[in-house]
Amino acid sequence: MDDDARLTPMLQAVIDGNSLDPFGVLGRHRSDAGDVIRVMLPGAFSVTAVARDEPSLQTTLNPLRQSGLFIGPSPGPGAYVLRIDWGGPIQETEDPYSFGPLLGDLDIHLLSEGRHRDLAQCLGAHAMLVDGVPGVRFALWAPNARRVSVIGDFNTWDGRRHPMRLRHAASVWEVFVPRLGPGALYKFELLGPDGAMLPQKADPVAWRAEPPPATASIVDDPAPFRWSDEGWCAERAKRQAFDAPLSIYEVHPASWLRHPDGTSLDWRELAEKLVDYVSRMGFTHVEFLPVMLHPFTGSWGYQVLGQFAPNALLGTPEEFALLVDRCHDAGIGVLLDWVPAHFPTDAHGLARFDGTPLYEHGDPREGYQQDWNTFIYNLGRNEVRNFLIAGALHWLERFHADGLRVDAVAAMLYRDYSRKEGEWLPNVYGGRENLESITFLQELRRTLDARCPGAILVAEESTAWPGVTRSPDQGGLGFDYKWNMGWMHDTLEYIELEPIHRRYHHHSMTFGMLYAFSERFILPLSHDEVVYGKRSLIGKMPGDEWQRFANLRAYLGFMWTHPGKKLLFMGGEFAQDGEWNHDRQPDWHLLDDPAHRGVQLLVRDLNRLYTAEPALHERDYDESGFRWVVSDDDAQSVFAYLRMPGGNGPPLLSISNFTPVPRDGYRLGVPEAGLWRTVLNTDASRYGGSGFANGHDAAAEAAPWHDQPASLRVNLPPLATLILRLDAR
């Protein structure tokens, strides 16, 4: 058997690691001399085949020169195991090449059509029993590869050991590695269509991975997490409805709070400390910057390589599930930032995955995002759309996330996004709209409606694209909510001005109401506004120290009473001084300062008021829920408006004075006579304010004013927002 002349091309291909059909060579096969077993085990000293049901029946497999290939007669017609001497303890295992095709016909059919929504259960690495044998089934989509092997710490990262079977109908490669279990490290080794060896690839559908900078995937434990959030899930749709209060605390989990040595809290620690904090602060939801696996921490998670695996730097998938479960137990919804627009170019990731542009477009005019040095997903390909939608379902179904905030939607919608003339390709009609992205987002919406009722989609979309929050059946994109970037930029531009100049920019605070009901908006003060020289929220405020804090408090009061759901990035709730730095925590020690502590107390009280008062949230997207009272007092920089409830409940009057000048006896129209009580004053002493008009209530009389049937007079504090409620008694 060791005669070179007897080597066939098929055997030589297995030895060389470029066999097109390893299952046609390895395992047990018929021959003229009877059944023969061939195994490829480079580095083994000896190999014995043993009949599983009759261990006394054994045959020795002989090495073929120094090739690593062992060949010998079968010990019988039944199942067999291999006893392998590696020079240490004897390994006993079934032969991977004794198992037939693994994926079922339905799986193959759905994969071939690019509509297998349970991709996370089908592809990747899954510990299971096959024919009563424990092990791990590996499966990978790589249609243009010439050969694919699974490599790992279980086979010394040798691609000759476990070459995979190609299921031609779906372009999927598969192999079962017996006696392997959770915790094993693995990657895939591919030969490109030209036969060239590619960089070792992490599993695109891995549920778990090594912490960066290591890059291997990890076989995850298939045991399901034991959830305790049935009550939350039953009420989720109601808690996230358009008439519900949504106050979102945006968090970068790795830097929210750190240990004294500078290391991040892990998922378990966040499940204790973050959940308690968010609950005490009265936020209804927490939104995490991407928790998906990303190789570069400086991307804040927005350059995702593992669409199915949580950030391993903070713990295991089970520990992340614990964090979500604890949030739900505390009545807090969980939103995840999600990035289907682009992916990084790291060699171990999706880039030219099988030696061709597989997940990305081949033409850089539509496949390369020059702003971020990333590749753009080819959403015109069924398998790529399915990959991303299956990833979204994975977070919503396996981890019980309550919604996804889709990043960079504008970059998806426009083919000429951030490109000059000649740097982009038009669509089939010659336009700039990305028709494939539109189809993808609509397909995502319909899939979530069918599979994840009550889960929401939020768009980070910075243009005036029509119908972002309209349903696909109405020609819209299908988002539930859209970030109001225009409102954010206009109002921040206004509040950064010295009060003496604000009269000339009065429209910046009123302009948002011209389009406030064109979409279902969230008002965001996000992480993007407190980095890269933009300064922190308190850093944007003009004036001396007292005025800076008063400005911020007044602005937050204006935001919390304005139509639209709310979002605030961590640190903003206590007037973090410095810009956000992902490598360190916010300056929590500032809470020793009464001014910073006062802002934190104000945000807590605003959240509680916002949640308790139907007028502040029930009709966010109904024009009848808002009435201007004062929109044109640019000389005094005063704004006033009414918020009206959808059902029973009193209206609220919000008044903002954005100058440091108190306004005594300021007259305002209201819809009803009676006592209007001050329910919140951002200038209150408890928040660090001057205390002007503390506890001030106002009696309205039947004297028409501002097109209202009644009116009242109030003393407006300097740089403050007052919120008054009609006394129902």
Side-chain angles (χ1 to χ4, degrees), residues 713-729:
R713 291 184 181 274
V714 294
N715 297 327
L716 301 184
L719 295 173
T721 293
L722 281 178
I723 306 173
L724 281 69
R725 178 180 59 209
L726 177 63
D727 193 331
R729 294 176 300 176

mmCIF file of all heavy atoms in Angstrom, residues 713-729:
data_model
loop_
_atom_site.group_PDB
_atom_site.id
_atom_site.type_symbol
_atom_site.label_atom_id
_atom_site.label_comp_id
_atom_site.label_asym_id
_atom_site.label_seq_id
_atom_site.Cartn_x
_atom_site.Cartn_y
_atom_site.Cartn_z
ATOM 1 N N ARG A 713 -51.739 84.330 34.439
ATOM 2 C CA ARG A 713 -50.450 85.024 34.495
ATOM 3 C C ARG A 713 -49.492 84.207 35.360
ATOM 4 O O ARG A 713 -49.871 83.729 36.436
ATOM 5 C CB ARG A 713 -50.606 86.436 35.077
ATOM 6 C CG ARG A 713 -51.375 87.389 34.162
ATOM 7 C CD ARG A 713 -51.417 88.796 34.728
ATOM 8 N NE ARG A 713 -52.168 89.706 33.880
ATOM 9 C CZ ARG A 713 -51.645 90.368 32.853
ATOM 10 N NH1 ARG A 713 -50.363 90.220 32.556
ATOM 11 N NH2 ARG A 713 -52.400 91.182 32.135
ATOM 12 N N VAL A 714 -48.263 84.066 34.864
ATOM 13 C CA VAL A 714 -47.252 83.325 35.615
ATOM 14 C C VAL A 714 -45.970 84.135 35.664
ATOM 15 O O VAL A 714 -45.706 84.974 34.783
ATOM 16 C CB VAL A 714 -46.967 81.951 34.975
ATOM 17 C CG1 VAL A 714 -48.172 81.046 35.059
ATOM 18 C CG2 VAL A 714 -46.527 82.096 33.541
ATOM 19 N N ASN A 715 -45.196 83.872 36.698
ATOM 20 C CA ASN A 715 -43.858 84.446 36.800
ATOM 21 C C ASN A 715 -42.869 83.443 36.216
ATOM 22 O O ASN A 715 -42.723 82.337 36.739
ATOM 23 C CB ASN A 715 -43.511 84.752 38.256
ATOM 24 C CG ASN A 715 -44.439 85.785 38.856
ATOM 25 O OD1 ASN A 715 -44.905 86.691 38.158
ATOM 26 N ND2 ASN A 715 -44.724 85.655 40.147
ATOM 27 N N LEU A 716 -42.235 83.823 35.111
ATOM 28 C CA LEU A 716 -41.327 82.912 34.429
ATOM 29 C C LEU A 716 -39.930 83.040 35.002
ATOM 30 O O LEU A 716 -39.330 84.130 34.969
ATOM 31 C CB LEU A 716 -41.300 83.206 32.934
ATOM 32 C CG LEU A 716 -42.627 83.098 32.179
ATOM 33 C CD1 LEU A 716 -42.393 83.328 30.688
ATOM 34 C CD2 LEU A 716 -43.277 81.755 32.422
ATOM 35 N N PRO A 717 -39.357 81.951 35.509
ATOM 36 C CA PRO A 717 -37.988 81.998 36.023
ATOM 37 C C PRO A 717 -36.995 82.212 34.878
ATOM 38 O O PRO A 717 -37.304 81.966 33.707
ATOM 39 C CB PRO A 717 -37.796 80.621 36.663
ATOM 40 C CG PRO A 717 -39.152 80.027 36.759
ATOM 41 C CD PRO A 717 -39.966 80.632 35.668
ATOM 42 N N PRO A 718 -35.791 82.625 35.217
ATOM 43 C CA PRO A 718 -34.766 82.796 34.179
ATOM 44 C C PRO A 718 -34.244 81.450 33.685
ATOM 45 O O PRO A 718 -34.064 80.521 34.474
ATOM 46 C CB PRO A 718 -33.663 83.578 34.899
ATOM 47 C CG PRO A 718 -33.800 83.173 36.337
ATOM 48 C CD PRO A 718 -35.276 82.975 36.560
ATOM 49 N N LEU A 719 -34.033 81.360 32.376
ATOM 50 C CA LEU A 719 -33.461 80.140 31.779
ATOM 51 C C LEU A 719 -34.112 78.899 32.385
ATOM 52 O O LEU A 719 -33.469 78.058 33.014
ATOM 53 C CB LEU A 719 -31.945 80.107 31.986
ATOM 54 C CG LEU A 719 -31.154 81.218 31.278
ATOM 55 C CD1 LEU A 719 -29.690 81.189 31.696
ATOM 56 C CD2 LEU A 719 -31.267 81.080 29.764
ATOM 57 N N ALA A 720 -35.405 78.774 32.145
ATOM 58 C CA ALA A 720 -36.139 77.697 32.798
ATOM 59 C C ALA A 720 -37.333 77.274 31.965
ATOM 60 O O ALA A 720 -37.836 78.022 31.125
ATOM 61 C CB ALA A 720 -36.603 78.130 34.188
ATOM 62 N N THR A 721 -37.793 76.054 32.240
ATOM 63 C CA THR A 721 -39.038 75.535 31.691
ATOM 64 C C THR A 721 -39.978 75.222 32.846
ATOM 65 O O THR A 721 -39.594 74.532 33.798
ATOM 66 C CB THR A 721 -38.794 74.268 30.860
ATOM 67 O OG1 THR A 721 -38.051 74.602 29.689
ATOM 68 C CG2 THR A 721 -40.104 73.634 30.434
ATOM 69 N N LEU A 722 -41.204 75.751 32.764
ATOM 70 C CA LEU A 722 -42.262 75.461 33.720
ATOM 71 C C LEU A 722 -43.265 74.525 33.067
ATOM 72 O O LEU A 722 -43.605 74.680 31.887
ATOM 73 C CB LEU A 722 -43.002 76.738 34.125
ATOM 74 C CG LEU A 722 -42.383 77.692 35.146
ATOM 75 C CD1 LEU A 722 -43.293 78.902 35.325
ATOM 76 C CD2 LEU A 722 -42.166 77.003 36.469
ATOM 77 N N ILE A 723 -43.755 73.571 33.843
ATOM 78 C CA ILE A 723 -44.808 72.687 33.368
ATOM 79 C C ILE A 723 -45.976 72.793 34.339
ATOM 80 O O ILE A 723 -45.831 72.513 35.536
ATOM 81 C CB ILE A 723 -44.317 71.233 33.265
ATOM 82 C CG1 ILE A 723 -43.044 71.153 32.416
ATOM 83 C CG2 ILE A 723 -45.412 70.352 32.662
ATOM 84 C CD1 ILE A 723 -42.406 69.780 32.396
ATOM 85 N N LEU A 724 -47.131 73.223 33.820
ATOM 86 C CA LEU A 724 -48.328 73.402 34.624
ATOM 87 C C LEU A 724 -49.404 72.422 34.162
ATOM 88 O O LEU A 724 -49.517 72.125 32.967
ATOM 89 C CB LEU A 724 -48.868 74.833 34.504
ATOM 90 C CG LEU A 724 -48.165 75.927 35.319
ATOM 91 C CD1 LEU A 724 -46.769 76.209 34.801
ATOM 92 C CD2 LEU A 724 -48.995 77.218 35.302
ATOM 93 N N ARG A 725 -50.202 71.966 35.126
ATOM 94 C CA ARG A 725 -51.278 71.031 34.835
ATOM 95 C C ARG A 725 -52.578 71.584 35.396
ATOM 96 O O ARG A 725 -52.620 72.089 36.526
ATOM 97 C CB ARG A 725 -50.977 69.672 35.461
ATOM 98 C CG ARG A 725 -52.073 68.630 35.246
ATOM 99 C CD ARG A 725 -51.704 67.297 35.891
ATOM 100 N NE ARG A 725 -51.493 67.476 37.329
ATOM 101 C CZ ARG A 725 -50.666 66.729 38.061
ATOM 102 N NH1 ARG A 725 -49.950 65.773 37.484
ATOM 103 N NH2 ARG A 725 -50.537 66.943 39.355
ATOM 104 N N LEU A 726 -53.631 71.478 34.605
ATOM 105 C CA LEU A 726 -54.937 71.920 35.073
ATOM 106 C C LEU A 726 -55.392 71.030 36.221
ATOM 107 O O LEU A 726 -55.407 69.802 36.100
ATOM 108 C CB LEU A 726 -55.956 71.860 33.930
ATOM 109 C CG LEU A 726 -57.396 72.239 34.287
ATOM 110 C CD1 LEU A 726 -57.478 73.695 34.741
ATOM 111 C CD2 LEU A 726 -58.324 71.986 33.105
ATOM 112 N N ASP A 727 -55.731 71.661 37.333
ATOM 113 C CA ASP A 727 -56.196 70.917 38.501
ATOM 114 C C ASP A 727 -57.587 70.375 38.214
ATOM 115 O O ASP A 727 -58.531 71.137 37.990
ATOM 116 C CB ASP A 727 -56.216 71.838 39.723
ATOM 117 C CG ASP A 727 -56.374 71.064 41.027
ATOM 118 O OD1 ASP A 727 -56.989 69.978 40.993
ATOM 119 O OD2 ASP A 727 -55.878 71.530 42.058
ATOM 120 N N ALA A 728 -57.718 69.040 38.232
ATOM 121 C CA ALA A 728 -58.998 68.421 37.887
ATOM 122 C C ALA A 728 -60.062 68.706 38.925
ATOM 123 O O ALA A 728 -61.257 68.551 38.661
ATOM 124 C CB ALA A 728 -58.806 66.912 37.726
ATOM 125 N N ARG A 729 -59.667 69.096 40.110
ATOM 126 C CA ARG A 729 -60.653 69.388 41.143
ATOM 127 C C ARG A 729 -61.352 70.690 40.849
ATOM 128 O O ARG A 729 -62.317 71.057 41.424
ATOM 129 C CB ARG A 729 -59.972 69.468 42.508
ATOM 130 C CG ARG A 729 -59.397 68.128 42.976
ATOM 131 C CD ARG A 729 -58.657 68.273 44.280
ATOM 132 N NE ARG A 729 -57.540 69.210 44.145
ATOM 133 C CZ ARG A 729 -56.737 69.599 45.148
ATOM 134 N NH1 ARG A 729 -56.963 69.134 46.366
ATOM 135 N NH2 ARG A 729 -55.747 70.433 44.955
#
